[in-house]
C-alpha cells in the first residue's frame, strides 16, 4: 500500500515529554482490529522505535507532515481503558506535563520496549525447548554478547518488527530488561518436613514406631508429627515440629538420615498470598461509630477524612469498609506512602483478605508488576484490593468502589522528580471521582490542606479519639538540653532524664525507640584551626561523616571519599565533628549499655529489598532492645512492647527553611510518639530540645492538633501560602552559572510582568549546586480568586517563548505544581 493513498490514521501517545500526540497511518485491516488503548510499535526520528499507545482512530491526514505507517500492533485487546486516559489527561493538565510523561510513569517498563532498551539473558532460565527458533537465535546471541539493545537485536535478525518477539520472550522469562536486574525476584524458601515415600499409606506405621522405640526423642518427634498431621492436614514446617515436639533440629535430622522423614522446601510466594481468609476483628464501640459515620458521610461526600489518633485502630475500620466493597464486587485501592515501610500493615491485611490483595510497587520485578497490571485490567478477584505506593493510581481499574489513602499527610505521596510531579493523594481523589467511587483519607495528623477541606465541608470529617483498648496516649516530657548542659547532666547526647527512662524500660524488659532525624555519624567535619569544612566536589554542600566506614559522603549525589587526616585548606590535623546522626547515637548507646542489643534503622542500614523487613523482624522478635532511627521510624509501626520513645533533638526539623517546617515537625513528633505504649501500659515520650517553649513542641506535648492547625493556618493566610494560595515552583538548572543567571532573570521578569508581586525569585536554594548543575528557583503564588487554568496557560506560553530563545535551550526547566 502506498503512503499517499492512506486514509486511516491513529493518534498515539509516545512515552516522551512532548506536548502533542503524533499521527501514524494504518491499513484497512488494522483499522478493523485496532482499538483505543492498545499498544503499537512505531518508528520515530531517524531510527528509533517506541511503544506508543493508541489514543484516537480517525480519517484525517495530518497537515504538516506525512504520516508514517506503524510497524506493528502489540496487543490483541486494550491494556489501558477510557477512564485511565481521562484520568491521565487530568494529571497531565493539572501538573503541567505531557501525556507521554504520565504514560511512561504509569506503565511497567516491560510494556514500554523501545530501540534503546537493553535486554539480557535471564540466568535462571533453563528450558530452551520453550523457545521458538527465532527466539532461540536471540537467546544464543545473548549468550555470546551478554547484553544487546533492541535495535541491535533487530539488526541481528534483519527484521524491523521485533517487539512482539521480545514480548513473548519476556513472558517466558527467558530474558530480562537491564534496569530490572537489581531487583530480581528471589523466592523465599521455607523448610517443611514429611514422611518418606515408603511409609505413606500407613500400613507400616507400627513397625516404624517400633523401630525408633529406643530412641526416645525420635519417637517423641514422630508421635508429634502424626498428631500434627492429623490435626492440621497441612504441610508441616520443620520449625513447628521442633517446637511442638520439644526436640532439636539434630533429632529431626537423625530421622531424615534414617530415611523415615524427609525435608522439602515450599516456595513462599511474596505476591500471591495464601488463599485462606481470616476473620475481621470485631470493632469496638468507637470504631463502630466511626465506621457508621463514614458510611453516612459517603452518602453525601465523595471524600471523607478519618482523623483517628495513633493506635486507635484505623486499620480495622479500613478493613470493614473494604469488606463492604468486596461484597459489592468492587475494586479497592489502598494507598500507602512507602511500601517498604508498610510490611506490618500488609501482613495484617493479608491475614484478613488473603488471596484478594495484590501489592503494586516499583521495587517489585517487572514480571510481578506486569502480573498485577493484567489482574487489575481483567478485574480478577486476586487483585480486587490493590495495596500500592503512589504509582498505583495509574493502574487499569475499571470498577473501583473505594480508595483509602493511609497516612494522607505523608510527604512521600508527592513525586518531585521526574515529571509527572503529582501528588498521589490528589490524583487518587480524582481517580475515585472518575469512577464515581468514594475516598477515605486517614491520618492521626492530617495535612493542613486536608483538615481545611474537612472543616469547610468540602470533605466529610470523622474522628476517632480513643486508643484501642483505651490505653492512654503516652505521657510527654520536654527536656531542656541547654539547661542540662549547664548543669552538666548530659552524657554525650543523652540527658539524665532520657538515660534514666531507658534504664527503667530495659529493666522491665520493655523496648525503646530513639529518633534522630539524621543519618551518618555527624553532618559536618570542620577544621578547628581554619573552620573550613570539606565540601562535595559536585554539590554545594558539606560532606557527612560516616564513622563506621571512615568516610565522608555527599547525601545529594552519593560522592564518597576517605576521611582525610588533615585539613585540605590549612593542613592542620585538628578536625572536629559538629552535630550528630544515628550512627553516633548507636555508638554512644553501645558504650552506655554494653549488655543491651542496639539496632539502627536508616537509609544506610535498610538498603536492598528486604533490609527494612529484617530490622523490623528482629525488633518484633525482641532481638533488639533499643532501635535508633530516622523518620522511617515514624511510619505506622505497631510494636506492643515499646514503652519509651526518645527524641534526641527536636530542633533541626523546626529550623528547616520551608513554610511547612512547623506542620511537618508536629506530624513527625506525634507520629513517633505514637509508637509508644500501644498495647497495655501507658507509654512515655521524652523530647530533648533547646527550645522547650517553642509553640509547636508545646502543642505536641499537650496533643493539641487543633491549636497547631489554627495557628499555622493564620500564618499561611498572612504569608500567602496553601491552603489559601497555590504554590507553583519552577526549577532551572545549568552547568554554567552565568548562563543560568541570565536565563532565570529573563524568566523571572516575564513572569513578574504577568503576575507582579506573586512571583518570588529567582533565588538560589540552600543547596545551590547538585551533581555539578547550578540551581535557581522561581516561585509563582496563585491567589484564591485567580483562575488556575488560565494562569497555567499563561505560564506555558511564557515557557514556550523561553524555550525558543537559542541561548536558553540547554537550560533544564521543570515546573512543579503544588510543590509542597
Ligand atoms: P492506627 O493505625 O490507628 O495507629 P492500628 O490499626 O495499628 O492503629 O491499631 C493499633 C493496635 O490495636 C493494633 O495492634 C491492632 O491490632 C489493635 N486493634 C485495633 N482495633 C482492634 C480491634 N477491633 N480488635 C482487636 N485488636 C484491635
Ligand atoms: Zn584548616
Ligand atoms: Zn554531592
Amino acid at each position: 500500500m502506498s503512503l499517499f493513498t492512506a486514509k486511516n490514521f491513529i493518534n498515539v501517545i509516545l512515552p516522551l515529554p512532548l506536548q502533542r500526540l503524533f499521527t501514524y497511518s494504518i491499513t484497512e485491516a488494522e483499522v478493523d482490529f485496532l482499538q483505543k488503548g492498545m499498544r503499537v510499535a512505531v518508528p520515530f526520528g531517524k531510527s528509533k522505535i517506541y511503544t506508543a499507545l493508541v489514543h484516537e482512530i480517525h480519517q484525517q491526514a495530518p497537515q504538516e507532515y506525512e504520516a508514517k505507517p506503524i510497524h506493528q500492533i502489540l496487543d490483541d485487546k486494550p491494556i489501558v481503558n477510557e477512564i485511565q486516559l481521562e484520568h491521565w489527561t487530568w494529571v497531565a493538565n493539572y501538573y503541567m506535563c505531557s501525556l507521554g510523561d504520565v504514560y511512561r510513569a504509569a506503565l511497567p517498563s516491560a510494556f514500554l520496549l523501545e530501540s534503546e532498551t537493553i535486554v539480557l539473558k535471564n540466568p535462571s532460565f533453563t528450558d530452551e525447548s520453550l523457545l521458538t527458533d527465532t527466539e532461540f537465535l536471540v537467546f544464543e546471541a545473548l549468550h555470546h554478547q551478554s547484553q544487546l539493545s533492541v535495535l541491535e537485536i533487530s539488526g541481528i535478525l534483519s527484521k524491523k518488527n521485533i517487539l512482539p518477539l521480545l514480548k513473548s520472550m519476556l513472558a517466558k522469562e527467558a530474558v530480562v530488561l537491564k534496569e530490572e536486574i537489581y531487583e530480581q525476584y528471589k523466592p523465599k524458601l521455607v523448610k517443611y518436613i514429611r514422611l518418606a515415600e515408603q511409609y505413606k499409606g500407613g500400613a507400616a506405621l507400627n513397625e516404624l514406631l517400633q523401630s525408633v522405640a529406643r530412641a526416645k526423642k525420635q519417637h517423641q518427634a514422630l508421635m508429634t508429627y502424626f498428631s500434627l498431621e492429623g490435626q492440621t492436614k497441612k504441610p508441616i514446617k520443620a520449625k513447628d515440629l521442633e517446637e511442638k515436639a520439644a526436640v532439636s533440629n539434630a533429632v529431626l535430622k537423625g530421622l531424615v538420615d534414617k530415611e523415615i522423614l524427609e525435608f522439602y522446601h515450599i516456595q513462599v510466594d511474596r505476591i500471591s498470598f495464601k488463599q485462606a481468609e481470616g476473620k475481621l476483628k470485631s470493632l469496638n464501640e468507637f470504631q463502630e461509630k466511626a465506621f457508621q459515620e463514614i458510611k453516612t458521610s459517603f452518602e453525601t461526600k465523595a471524600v471523607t477524612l478519618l482523623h483517628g489518633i495513633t493506635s486507635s485502630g484505623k486499620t480495622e475500620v479500613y478493613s470493614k469498609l473494604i469488606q463492604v466493597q468486596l461484597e459489592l464486587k468492587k475494586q479497592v485501592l489502598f494507598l500507602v506512602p512507602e511500601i517498604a515501610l508498610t510490611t506490618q500493615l500488609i501482613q495484617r491485611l493479608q491475614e484478613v483478605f488473603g488471596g484478594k490483595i495484590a501489592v503494586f510497587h516499583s521495587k517489585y520485578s517487572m514480571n510481578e508488576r506486569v502480573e498485577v497490571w493484567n489482574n487489575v485490567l481483567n478485574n480478577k478477584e486476586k487483585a480486587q484490593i490493590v495495596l500500592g505506593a503512589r504509582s498505583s493510581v495509574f493502574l487499569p481499574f475499571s470498577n473501583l468502589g473505594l480508595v483509602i489513602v493511609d497516612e494522607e499527610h505523608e510527604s512521600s505521596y508527592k513525586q518531585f522528580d521526574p515529571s509527572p510531579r503529582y501528588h498521589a493523594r490528589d490524583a487518587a481523589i480524582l481517580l475515585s471521582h472518575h469512577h464515581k467511587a468514594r475516598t477515605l483519607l486517614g491520618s492521626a495528623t492530617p495535612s493542613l490542606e486536608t483538615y481545611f477541606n474537612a472543616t469547610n465541608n468540602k470533605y466529610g470529617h470523622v474522628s476517632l479519639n480513643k486508643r484501642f483498648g483505651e490505653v492512654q496516649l503516652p505521657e510527654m516530657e520536654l527536656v531542656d538540653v541547654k539547661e542540662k548542659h549547664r548543669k552538666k547532666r548530659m552524657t554525650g547526647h543523652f540527658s539524665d532524664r532520657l538515660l534514666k527512662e531507658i534504664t527503667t524500660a530495659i529493666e522491665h524488659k520493655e523496648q525503646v525507640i530513639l529518633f534522630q532525624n539524621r543519618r551518618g555519624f555527624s553532618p559536618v567535619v570542620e577544621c578547628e584551626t581554619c573552620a573550613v569544612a570539606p565540601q562535595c566536589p559536585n554539590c554545594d554542600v558539606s560532606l557527612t561523616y560516616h564513622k563506621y566506614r571512615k568516610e565522608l559522603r555527599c547525601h545529594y549525589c552519593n560522592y564518597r571519599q576517605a576521611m582525610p587526616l588533615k585539613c585540605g585548606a590549612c593542613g592542620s590535623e585538628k578536625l572536629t565533628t559538629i552535630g550528630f546522626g544515628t550512627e553516633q547515637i548507636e555508638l554512644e548507646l553501645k558504650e552506655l549499655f554494653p549488655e543491651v542489643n542496639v539496632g539502627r534503622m536508616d537509609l544506610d542500614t535498610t538498603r536492598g529489598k528486604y533490609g527494612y523487613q529484617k530490622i523490623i523482624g528482629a525488633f518484633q522478635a525482641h532481638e533488639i532492645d533499643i532501635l535508633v532511627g530516622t523518620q522511617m521510624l515514624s511510619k505506622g509501626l505497631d510494636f506492643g512492647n515499646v514503652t519509651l520513645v526518645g527524641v534526641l533533638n527536636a530542633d533541626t526539623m523546626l529550623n528547616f527553611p520551608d513554610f511547612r517546617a512547623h506542620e511537618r515537625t508536629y506530624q513527625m513528633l506525634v507520629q513517633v510518639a505514637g509508637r509508644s505504649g500501644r498495647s497495655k501500659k501507658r507509654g512515655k515520650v521524652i523530647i530533648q530540645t533547646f527550645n522547650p517553649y517553642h509553640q509547636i513542641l508545646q502543642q505536641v506535648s499537650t496533643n493539641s492538633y487543633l491549636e497547631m492547625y489554627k495557628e499555622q493556618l493564620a500564618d499561611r493566610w498572612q504569608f500567602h501560602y496553601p491552603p489559601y494560595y497555590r504554590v507553583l515552583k519552577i526549577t532551572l538548572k545549568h552547568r554554567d552559572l552565568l548562563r543560568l543567571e541570565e536565563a532565570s532573570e529573563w524568566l523571572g521578569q516575564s513572569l513578574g510582568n504577568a503576575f507582579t508581586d506573586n512571583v518570588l525569585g529567582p533565588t538560589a536554594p540552600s543547596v545551590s549546586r547538585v551533581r555539578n548543575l547550578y540551581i535557581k528557583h522561581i516561585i509563582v503564588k496563585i491567589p484564591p480568586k485567580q483562575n488556575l487554568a488560565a494562569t497555567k496557560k499563561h505560564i506555558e506560553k511564557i515557557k514556550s517563548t523561553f524555550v525558543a530563545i537559542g541561548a536558553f535551550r540547554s537550560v533544564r526547566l521543570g515546573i512543579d505544581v503544588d510543590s509542597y
Side-chain angles (χ1 to χ4, degrees), residues 281-282 287 310-316 348 468 638 678:
K281 293 190 175 112
S282 49
Q287 293 168 335
T310 55
S311 205
S312 55
K314 293 184 285 296
T315 318
E316 305 309 326
R348 281 168 62 186
F468 180 75
D638 184 31
R678 290 172 72 86

Side-chain angles (χ1 to χ4, degrees), residues 761-778:
T763 52
S766 56
V767 177
S768 64
R769 187 176 55 116
V770 171
R771 295 174 200 270
N772 288 316
L773 293 175
Y774 290 93
I775 306 170
K776 293 277 183 195
H777 286 158
I778 300 176

Side-chain angles (χ1 to χ4, degrees), residues 48 53 137 168 242 254 277 332 344 397 412 445 502 517-518 520 535 628 676 687 734 754 764 767:
K48 293 211 171 127
L53 193 74
L137 220 68
S168 151
E242 271 173 44
E277 276 170 40
V332 176
Q344 280 190 322
F397 296 101
S412 36
T445 52
I502 296 177
N517 207 14
R518 218 169 217 167
Q535 302 285 311
V628 185
S676 178
I687 299 177
H734 201 272
V767 177

Side-chain angles (χ1 to χ4, degrees), residues 536 538-539 554 557:
C536 174
N538 312 317
C539 312
C554 172
C557 73

Side-chain angles (χ1 to χ4, degrees), residues 367-386:
N367 285 311
E368 291 168 295
R369 273 180 283 155
V370 167
E371 208 177 299
V372 175
W373 183 283
N374 288 331
N375 287 338
V376 174
L377 180 70
N378 298 316
N379 201 0
K380 287 269 174 66
E381 192 172 307
K382 56 182 163 183
Q384 212 178 335
I385 308 166
V386 175

Side-chain angles (χ1 to χ4, degrees), residues 395-434:
L395 285 168
F397 296 101
S398 52
N399 184 29
L400 199 56
L402 175 69
V403 179
I404 293 170
V405 185
D406 191 25
E407 310 289 359
E408 69 82 31
H409 63 277
E410 273 289 337
S411 53
S412 36
Y413 278 127
K414 179 77 195 314
Q415 167 143 326
F416 288 103
D417 261 318
S419 181
R421 299 182 176 86
Y422 64 106
H423 196 299
R425 175 198 58 215
D426 300 340
I429 290 174
L430 248 291
L431 175 73
S432 181
H433 173 75
H434 285 298

